[in-house]
C-alpha cells in the first residue's frame, strides 16, 4: 500500500459568509486567523474567536497505471463534522472533530482531473470549552493499494512477555504477538524485524488473522527512561508496510502499581490540550516533538491528552523520546456542557470513536492507559455508571493490554447531584441564546469560579467529604484505575477503604506535586499524577493566570484574553518557577533553584487556584532598589539560607514540602541560596545576578540548524551583553524573514490582543517567540526591528 502525501495545493474559504478562496497547505487551522470579539457565543472558552464554516478543496490527477487499484483517503482529524465529497459525490465523514477516519474513493477519474471537497462546521457556537481550532488541522493522506493488500491499521503488535535480564530493566527476553489483517486469502505473509541500527533481528511467515507468537532474546526493552524502538516490515504479495513498535510489558495491580517490564513506575504526568500553542490547533511533527522534549526536560514522564484523542505525531514523539501517554476520549457523554458540543453524538458513536483511538494507539509503546472521559458528572447517575462499564468493557475487547480510567471531578459529582452548577441541555440552550448577558455559571465553569474565589483547599476539602465518596464509588468500580480530579485528600483513606482500588491523580494542582510524589513512593496503589496543566494552551482564557495591570489592564477589552495562563511552561515553552519546583518535587534534581516574583509589579488581579506562584528566574530589576522581593527556593534539603550580595537574609528549615519562601529587600547584585543537610553540611547552591545597564535584543534559535520544510523556534530576549535576561524590558518588535516563512509570532502573556498571526508583537517580561519554517533557501535570515534598532540571526538549512 502506497502512502501519498496529500497536504499541499488546497484552497479554503468560509461558507457561512462571503469569502474568497485562499491557498493553504495542510495541516491548517482556519480559526486562528479569525476576528476575536465578546460577541462570539464561545467567549473566553475559545479565546473569543469567531466561529465559521469552511470548505477545503483540492484538484488532483492520478496515474493511468494505477487504474483498478483501491484508493482510500485518511483524515487524521478535522474540526468538526467533516463531510467529504469526491467529484461531487458525498463519500463519507465523521461527527467527532478528533477521530481519525477514512473515506473509500471508488469514483475517481484516470483520464481527467479529480476534485475533493471537504466541509467542516464551526459556526455552531458554542461547541467547546477550550480553543478547538477549525478545519483540516491534522494531516490528510491518500492510500493506494492493490486489490489484495494489508489493511490500513491492519498490523497489530503486542508484547506478551518481557523479562529483563539486567538490573536497569533495559535488556531482556520477550515474546511478542503479531496479527495481520488483509484483503484476500491472507496466505504467504512474511515479516522481518529490525533494530534501531537496521540490523535484522528476526524473520518468518504467518497467516492472516491468526496471532503469531514470536520469541526474541537479548532485545532492548522500551520504557520512558530507555525508549528503544524496532521496525517491523510485513510483506503480502506486492504490498509491503512498516510499523515502528517497542517491546514493553505493562502490568497493573494494587500490590505493585503500574509496572513496565517488571519495574514499578510512578506517572509524573502533565495534562495538555491539543493545540500547539502559538501555531493554533495545527498538528506539526516538529511542534509535537518539541513539546514532549520540553515536558520531559522539566521532570515529567507522562502526558494526559486532555480531553480528546491525541495526534499520531504526538504518539511518535512520545515513542521516540520516552514519554508515557494516557489517551483520552472525550469531555462530555450525554449531557451537554455547551449547546452544540459532542454530547449529541457520543452514545451513538462511541464504539466507532474508541476503535479509531485504539487503532491509532495500539502499536505505540508510549500508550499505557485509556481514559473514557473528563469530569463527566454522568458518573454519578445510574445511566452514566452503566455507560462507564460499557466503555471499559469495549476497550478491553479491542485492547486488553492497557488499563482504562476516567477523570472524575469528585467534588463536582456531589455538587451536580445537589443541583449546584449543574449541567443540563436546557441550561446549555439558554446560555447559547444570550452569551453576552451575565449568566449563571454552570458545570466546570461554576467550579472554576469557586476555585478562583476560595482557592484549591476548598476544592480538595470538598472532595474529601463522605457524600462525594457515595457519588463516585460505583463508577470507580467500573474502571481499572480510578481517576481523581483534585482528590488528593482522599488518597490515604480510600486506599484503606477500597483494598482493590488503584488511584490516579488524573488532574491535580502544581503545589501538591511534592506531597503526591512522597505518598506514591510508599503506596503503589497511587499510580500517578497529572498536573493541570503542563504547558499553557489557548482558550479557557485567563483561567490559570495571575496577571498585572502592566500587561492586562483592568477594564480592557475582554476579547484580548487569549491563553489560559495555566501552564508550568508558558505558551512559548519557557519554564516558569513552578516548573523548577516540579523538577525538585519529583526528585529529578536536588536543588537549590531560585525563583523570584517580579519585583516591580503591582496591581495583581485574575486570581486562580491553578497558579502556585508567579516566580521567575530573574534578579534583574534596576530601579527597584528597596522594593519588597518575594523569593522562593526549591530544594530537597534540611535547610536553606538566602544571601543578598553576601549578606544572609535568613535561614529556613524544611517543612512538609521542598519550597523555602523568603521576603527581603531588592538590591542590585547577586542573590544566592545555599542548601544544607541535616548535619548542617552544604549540599548545593544557586545564584541569580542583576543584568548590566546596557541592553540588547538577542535572537536565540533553539536549534543551530533546521531541516528544509521544518520549523525553527527563535526566542527574542532582551538581555545585557552577558546574556542575562531583563524581564522589565517591554518593546514592540517587528520581524521579517528571508529564506523561510514566518509561521507565528507572539508572547507568553495570556492577555494578548495581537494574537500570533501578525509580524509584530510586544515582548512579555522581555521576551517573545518567532516560529519560522525553512523553505528553499540555504539559510533563514530573521531580522527583528525595535525602537529604530535592528538585530538579525542566520539559521543554516539542511536537507533531511
Amino acid at each position: 500500500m502506497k502512502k501519498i502525501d496529500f497536504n499541499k495545493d488546497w484552497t479554503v474559504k468560509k461558507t457561512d459568509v462571503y469569502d474568497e478562496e485562499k491557498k493553504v497547505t495542510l495541516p491548517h487551522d482556519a480559526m486562528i486567523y479569525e476576528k476575536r470579539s465578546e460577541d462570539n457565543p464561545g467567549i473566553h472558552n475559545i479565546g473569543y474567536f469567531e466561529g465559521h464554516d469552511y470548505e477545503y478543496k483540492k484538484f488532483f490527477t492520478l496515474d493511468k497505471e494505477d487504474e483498478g487499484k483501491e484508493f482510500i483517503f485518511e483524515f487524521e482529524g478535522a474540526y468538526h463534522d467533516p463531510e467529504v465529497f469526491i467529484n461531487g459525490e458525498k463519500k463519507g465523514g465523521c461527527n467527532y472533530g478528533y477521530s481519525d477516519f477514512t473515506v473509500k474513493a471508488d469514483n475517481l477519474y484516470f483520464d481527467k482531473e479529480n476534485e475533493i471537497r471537504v466541509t467542516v462546521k464551526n459556526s455552531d457556537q458554542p461547541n467547546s470549552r477550550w480553543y478547538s481550532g477549525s478545519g483540516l488541522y491534522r494531516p490528510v493522506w491518500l492510500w493506494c493499494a492493490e486489490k489484495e493488500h494489508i489493511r490500513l491499521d491492519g498490523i497489530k503488535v503486542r508484547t506478551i512477555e518481557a523479562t529483563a535480564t539486567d538490573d536497569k530493566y533495559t535488556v531482556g527476553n520477550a515474546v511478542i504477538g503479531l496479527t495481520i489483517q488483509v484483503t484476500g486469502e491472507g496466505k504467504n505473509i512474511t515479516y522481518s524485524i529490525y533494530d534501531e541500527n537496521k540490523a535484522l533481528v528476526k524473520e518468518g511467515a504467518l497467516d492472516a488473522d491468526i496471532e503469531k507468537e514470536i520469541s526474541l532474546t537479548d532485545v532492548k526493552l522500551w520504557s520512558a527512561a530507555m525508549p528503544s524502538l524496532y521496525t517491523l516490515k510485513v510483506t503480502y504479495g506486492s504490498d509491503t508496510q512498516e510499523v515502528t513498535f517497542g517491546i514493553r510489558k505493562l502490568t497493573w495491580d494494587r500490590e505493585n502499581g503500574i509496572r513496565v517490564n517488571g519495574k514499578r513506575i510512578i506517572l509524573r504526568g502533565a495534562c495538555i490540550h491539543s493545540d500547539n500553542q502559538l501555531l493554533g490547533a495545527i498538528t506539526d511533527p516538529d511542534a509535537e516533538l518539541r513539546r514532549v522534549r520540553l515536558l520531559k526536560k522539566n521532570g515529567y514522564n507522562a502526558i494526559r491528552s486532555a480531553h480528546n484523542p491525541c495526534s499520531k505525531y504526538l504518539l511518535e514523539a512520545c515513542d521516540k523520546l520516552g514519554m508515557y501517554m494516557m489517551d483520552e476520549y472525550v469531555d462530555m457523554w450525554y449531557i451537554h456542557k455547551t449547546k452544540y458540543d459532542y454530547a449529541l453524538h457520543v452514545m451513538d458513536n462511541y464504539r466507532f470513536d474508541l476503535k479509531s483511538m485504539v487503532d491509532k494507539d495500539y502499536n505505540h509503546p508510549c500508550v499505557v492507559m485509556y481514559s473514557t472521559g473528563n469530569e463527566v458528572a454522568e458518573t454519578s447517575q445510574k445511566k452514566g455508571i452503566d455507560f462507564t462499564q460499557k466503555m471499559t468493557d469495549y476497550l478491553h475487547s479491542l485492547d486488553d493490554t492497557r488499563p482504562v480510567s476516567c477523570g472524575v471531578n469528585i467534588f463536582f459529582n456531589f455538587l451536580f447531584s445537589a443541583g449546584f452548577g449543574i449541567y443540563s441541555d436546557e441550561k446549555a440552550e439558554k446560555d447559547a441564546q444570550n452569551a453576552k448577558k451575565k449568566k449563571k455559571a454552570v458545570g466546570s465553569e461554576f467550579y472554576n469560579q469557586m476555585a478562583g474565589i476560595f482557592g484549591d483547599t476548598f476544592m480538595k476539602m470538598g472532595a474529601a467529604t463522605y457524600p462525594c465518596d457515595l457519588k463516585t464509588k460505583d463508577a470507580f468500580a467500573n474502571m481499572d484505575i480510578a481517576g481523581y480530579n483534585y482528590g488528593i485528600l482522599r488518597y490515604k483513606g480510600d486506599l484503606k477503604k477500597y483494598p482493590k482500588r488503584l488511584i490516579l491523580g488524573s488532574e491535580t494542582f502544581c503545589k501538591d506535586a511534592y506531597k503526591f510524589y512522597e505518598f506514591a513512593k510508599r503506596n503503589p496503589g497511587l499510580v500517578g499524577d497529572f498536573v493541570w496543566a503542563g504547558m499553557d494552551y489557548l482558550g479557557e482564557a485567563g483561567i490559570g493566570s495571575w496577571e498585572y495591570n502592566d500587561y492586562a489592564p483592568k477594564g480592557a477589552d475582554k476579547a484580548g484574553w487569549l491563553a489560559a495562563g495555566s501552564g508550568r511552561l508558558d505558551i512559548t515553552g519557557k519554564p516558569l518557577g513552578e516548573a523548577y519546583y516540579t523538577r525538585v518535587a519529583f526528585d529529578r534534581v536536588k536543588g537549590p533553584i531560585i525563583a523570584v516574583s517580579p519585583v516591580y509589579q503591582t496591581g495583581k488581579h485574575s486570581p486562580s487556584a491553578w497558579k502556585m506562584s508567579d516566580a521567575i528566574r530573574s534578579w534583574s530589576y534596576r530601579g527597584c532598589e528597596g522594593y519588597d522581593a518575594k523569593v522562593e527556593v526549591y530544594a530537597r534539603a534540611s535547610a536553606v539560607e538566602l544571601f543578598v550580595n553576601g549578606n544572609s537574609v535568613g535561614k529556613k528549615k524544611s517543612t512538609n514540602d521542598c519550597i523555602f519562601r523568603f521576603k527581603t529587600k531588592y538590591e542590585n547584585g547577586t542573590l544566592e541560596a545555599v542548601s544544607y543537610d541535616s548535619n548542617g553540611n552544604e549540599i548545593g547552591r544557586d545564584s541569580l545576578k542583576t543584568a548590566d545597564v546596557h541592553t540588547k535584543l538577542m535572537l536565540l534559535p533553539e536549534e543551530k540548524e533546521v531541516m528544509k520544510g521544518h520549523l525553527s523556534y527563535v526566542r527574542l530576549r532582551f538581555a545585557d551583553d552577558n546574556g542575562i535576561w531583563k524581564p522589565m524590558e517591554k518593546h514592540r518588535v517587528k520581524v521579517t524573514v528571508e529564506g523561510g516563512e514566518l509561521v507565528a509570532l507572539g508572547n507568553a502573556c495570556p492577555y494578548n490582543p495581537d494574537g500570533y498571526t501578525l509580524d509584530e508583537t510586544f515582548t512579555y517580561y522581555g521576551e517573545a517567540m518567532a516560529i519560522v519554517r525553512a523553505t528553499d533557501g540555504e539559510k533563514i535570515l530573521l531580522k527583528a526591528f525595535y525602537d529604530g534598532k535592528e538585530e538579525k540571526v542566520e539559521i543554516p538549512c539542511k536537507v533531511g
Side-chain angles (χ1 to χ4, degrees):
M1 185 178 287
K2 181 169 60 176
K3 185 179 183 180
I4 301 169
D5 187 333
F6 213 69
N7 293 295
K8 295 180 180 179
D9 302 320
W10 288 79
T11 62
V12 64
K13 69 174 182 179
K14 291 190 267 292
T15 57
D16 58 317
V17 295
Y18 174 78
D19 192 24
E20 295 183 356
E21 289 186 340
K22 303 175 185 66
K23 294 181 179 180
V24 295
T25 297
L26 307 183
H28 177 256
D29 177 10
M31 193 176 188
I32 198 73
Y33 299 97
E34 300 297 356
K35 295 177 182 178
R36 290 154 60 199
S37 168
E38 290 185 58
D39 293 335
N40 181 34
I43 53 175
H44 67 283
N45 288 326
I46 58 172
Y48 294 97
F49 283 96
E50 289 183 354
H52 290 283
D53 300 334
Y54 303 92
E55 177 186 86
Y56 288 81
K57 188 186 297 183
K58 177 182 170 79
F59 295 96
F60 61 101
T61 57
L62 298 171
D63 292 336
K64 184 71 174 176
E65 63 184 31
D66 288 330
E67 189 170 5
K69 295 181 180 179
E70 184 172 307
F71 288 86
I72 301 170
F73 285 100
E74 179 187 8
F75 297 83
E76 291 191 15
Y79 198 88
H80 69 105
D81 276 324
E83 294 183 326
V84 181
F85 300 83
I86 300 173
N87 294 325
E89 184 180 348
K90 183 179 176 181
K91 284 298 182 181
C94 178
N95 294 128
Y96 197 26
Y98 299 100
S99 283
D100 184 297
F101 70 98
T102 59
V103 172
K104 188 174 181 180
D106 55 6
N107 62 333
L108 296 172
Y109 305 129
F110 294 87
D111 55 355
K112 62 180 180 179
E113 195 171 51
N114 293 275
E115 177 198 73
I116 183 170
R117 184 167 55 90
V118 184
T119 62
V120 295
K121 296 178 182 177
N122 204 17
S123 64
D124 53 351
Q125 296 290 330
N127 62 51
S128 178
R129 297 193 303 115
W130 57 86
Y131 179 81
S132 62
S134 190
L136 300 180
Y137 70 98
R138 288 182 181 172
V140 177
W141 311 99
L142 176 59
W143 294 87
C144 174
E146 301 288 349
K147 289 299 181 183
E148 291 193 353
H149 60 269
I150 303 167
R151 294 186 183 277
L152 201 59
D153 295 320
I155 301 175
K156 296 288 192 296
V157 188
R158 70 183 182 102
T159 302
I160 298 172
E161 295 293 340
T163 305
T165 56
D166 68 335
D167 56 5
K168 295 182 179 180
Y169 297 83
T170 60
V171 179
N173 301 322
V175 178
I176 64 171
L178 174 59
T179 307
I180 312 295
Q181 295 177 329
V182 303
T183 62
E185 292 185 2
K187 301 296 183 180
N188 300 317
I189 302 171
T190 62
Y191 69 87
S192 303
I193 299 172
Y194 300 89
D195 66 17
E196 292 174 304
N197 297 317
K198 298 183 180 179
L200 180 64
V201 174
K202 192 95 170 186
E203 60 184 352
L206 73 163
D207 292 331
D209 301 322
I210 300 174
E211 185 175 67
K212 173 81 171 181
E213 293 190 4
I214 304 168
S215 297
L216 303 169
T217 59
D218 198 29
V219 291
K220 293 182 179 179
L221 305 178
W222 190 96
S223 68
M226 191 64 66
S228 301
L229 295 170
Y230 288 82
T231 299
L232 171 67
K233 180 185 288 187
V234 178
T235 299
Y236 171 53
S238 62
D239 188 12
T240 297
Q241 289 191 39
E242 291 185 359
V243 298
T244 301
F245 71 100
I247 300 170
R248 67 108 183 91
K249 176 67 173 178
L250 182 71
T251 60
W252 59 97
D253 58 67
R254 178 61 183 268
E255 290 71 31
N256 302 288
I258 293 179
R259 289 186 293 176
V260 173
N261 304 321
K263 181 179 181 180
R264 187 194 172 203
I265 62 166
I266 300 174
L267 298 176
R268 308 185 307 272
C271 297
I272 62 170
H273 267 316
S274 61
D275 66 86
N276 267 304
Q277 290 69 51
L278 305 188
L279 297 175
I282 72 167
T283 295
D284 183 279
D286 299 324
E288 300 286 40
L289 197 68
R290 175 181 183 262
R291 177 157 54 169
V292 174
R293 183 176 67 249
L294 290 174
L295 288 171
K296 186 162 186 175
K297 181 179 179 181
N298 284 280
Y300 300 102
N301 71 353
I303 288 173
R304 175 191 180 202
S305 69
H307 304 290
N308 47 261
C310 69
S311 72
K312 291 184 177 181
Y313 284 144
L314 184 56
L315 293 178
E316 291 167 5
C318 291
D319 284 347
K320 180 179 180 180
L321 297 181
M323 182 72 76
Y324 299 116
M325 168 62 69
M326 178 169 74
D327 208 3
E328 190 156 273
Y329 170 34
V330 77
D331 184 49
M332 72 295 294
W333 286 353
Y334 51 80
I335 296 175
H336 285 280
K337 292 183 177 179
T338 58
K339 179 181 178 181
Y340 298 106
D341 66 23
Y342 195 56
L344 182 66
H345 300 290
V346 169
M347 301 303 285
D348 293 329
N349 292 356
Y350 77 91
R351 286 179 173 270
F352 172 87
D353 295 332
L354 291 178
K355 185 177 187 306
S356 173
M357 183 172 74
V358 171
D359 283 344
K360 169 177 64 71
D361 292 357
Y362 195 93
N363 294 330
H364 290 278
C366 64
V367 180
V368 295
M369 198 180 313
Y370 298 118
S371 170
T372 56
N374 168 67
E375 296 191 346
V376 278
E378 292 95 322
T379 51
S380 65
Q381 301 177 332
K382 185 180 186 308
K383 179 180 176 181
I385 293 166
D386 292 343
F387 191 49
T388 305
Q389 187 69 64
K390 284 182 180 179
M391 285 197 287
T392 298
D393 291 344
Y394 184 59
L395 282 168
H396 287 165
S397 73
L398 298 172
D399 179 4
D400 62 0
T401 69
R402 295 173 171 103
V404 177
S405 184
C406 180
V408 176
N409 192 316
I410 299 171
F411 191 29
F412 178 41
N413 266 28
F414 167 68
L415 294 175
F416 174 90
S417 300
F420 295 102
I422 185 172
Y423 285 128
S424 71
D425 297 346
E426 291 76 15
K427 286 194 174 184
E429 171 73 29
K430 184 177 179 181
D431 292 341
Q433 288 176 356
N434 197 348
K436 289 181 66 178
K437 288 185 178 180
K438 185 176 180 181
K439 63 181 187 297
K440 184 178 180 181
V442 299
S444 290
E445 184 180 349
F446 170 82
Y447 193 67
N448 295 342
Q449 287 183 9
M450 286 199 305
I453 296 170
F454 298 109
D456 64 293
T457 301
F458 169 76
M459 297 169 64
K460 292 182 291 190
M461 289 184 67
T465 60
Y466 176 66
C468 291
D469 180 34
L470 292 179
K471 291 301 179 181
T472 55
K473 64 184 181 70
D474 293 333
F476 283 151
N478 288 348
M479 56 187 84
D480 300 314
I481 298 178
Y484 284 35
N485 283 18
Y486 310 109
I488 190 171
L489 298 183
R490 297 203 68 92
Y491 294 169
K492 184 177 180 180
D494 284 5
L495 286 177
K496 183 177 181 180
K497 184 175 182 178
Y498 300 101
K500 294 184 179 180
R501 181 180 293 181
L502 285 167
I503 295 174
L504 171 71
S506 42
E507 205 165 299
T508 63
F509 294 110
C510 175
K511 64 174 63 176
D512 292 329
Y514 179 87
K515 294 181 179 66
F516 144 72
Y517 198 62
E518 293 304 300
F519 185 83
K521 286 179 182 178
R522 304 186 302 271
N523 295 274
L526 178 59
V527 302
D529 171 282
F530 287 88
V531 70
W532 192 267
M535 196 166 182
D536 201 11
Y537 54 93
L538 303 182
E540 289 193 306
I543 190 175
S545 68
W546 286 359
E547 216 34 83
Y548 296 85
N549 288 322
D550 182 19
Y551 285 106
K554 283 188 176 180
D557 181 10
K558 288 183 179 179
W561 288 95
L562 178 54
S566 192
R568 316 293 62 90
L569 307 179
D570 71 24
I571 208 156
T572 71
K574 184 182 180 67
L576 304 176
E578 295 167 317
Y580 292 98
Y581 159 76
T582 300
R583 294 186 202 180
V584 177
F586 287 164
D587 211 3
R588 301 303 97 190
V589 295
K590 299 297 183 183
I593 303 175
I594 304 172
V596 184
S597 292
V599 172
Y600 73 101
Q601 289 284 27
T602 59
K604 182 170 69 177
H605 57 85
S606 60
S608 171
W610 283 268
K611 195 80 171 170
M612 180 190 84
S613 166
D614 62 352
I616 55 178
R617 290 270 296 161
S618 180
W619 189 246
S620 293
Y621 300 101
R622 289 188 179 274
C624 299
E625 293 80 4
Y627 283 33
D628 291 334
K630 297 178 181 179
V631 180
E632 298 178 357
V633 181
Y634 317 124
R636 282 185 170 266
S638 181
V640 167
E641 190 169 10
L642 189 69
F643 298 86
V644 176
N645 293 327
N647 299 313
S648 176
V649 298
K651 188 174 184 179
K652 299 258 178 117
K653 292 184 178 180
S654 174
T655 56
N656 188 28
D657 207 334
C658 59
I659 306 179
F660 299 79
R661 294 182 173 89
F662 297 85
K663 291 183 179 180
T664 187
K665 296 294 183 181
Y666 176 77
E667 297 178 19
N668 295 326
T670 301
L671 180 69
E672 188 169 36
V674 179
S675 58
Y676 304 94
D677 65 17
S678 58
N679 295 319
N681 299 313
E682 179 182 329
I683 55 175
R685 62 174 58 211
D686 182 37
S687 63
L688 296 173
K689 293 184 178 181
T690 305
D692 293 337
V693 175
H694 183 258
T695 301
K696 68 177 183 180
L697 176 61
M698 303 179 69
L699 308 181
L700 305 170
E702 291 185 351
E703 304 291 339
K704 293 181 179 179
E705 57 184 7
V706 59
M707 291 175 58
K708 291 185 178 181
H710 288 257
L711 297 179
S712 175
Y713 285 75
V714 183
R715 188 166 296 278
L716 285 59
R717 174 181 294 158
F718 282 94
D720 68 5
D721 290 333
N722 297 313
I724 298 177
W725 171 35
K726 290 191 166 188
M728 290 180 68
E729 295 294 327
K730 186 177 183 181
H731 303 267
R732 192 157 184 86
V733 181
K734 181 180 177 65
V735 169
T736 64
V737 176
E738 299 174 20
E741 173 193 5
L742 180 63
V743 179
L745 176 70
N747 62 60
C749 186
Y751 186 84
N752 189 333
D754 287 337
Y756 312 125
T757 61
L758 304 179
D759 62 358
E760 57 183 68
T761 184
F762 281 108
T763 57
Y764 179 66
Y765 291 117
E767 293 192 339
M769 173 66 72
I771 306 176
V772 183
R773 188 178 300 279
T775 52
D776 297 327
E778 297 300 318
K779 63 183 178 183
I780 294 172
L781 176 61
L782 186 148
K783 295 181 180 179
F785 304 88
Y786 69 100
D787 300 341
K789 300 176 183 179
E790 174 187 336
E791 297 292 344
K792 61 184 178 181
V793 66
E794 293 183 354
I795 309 167
C797 301
K798 62 179 181 178
V799 178

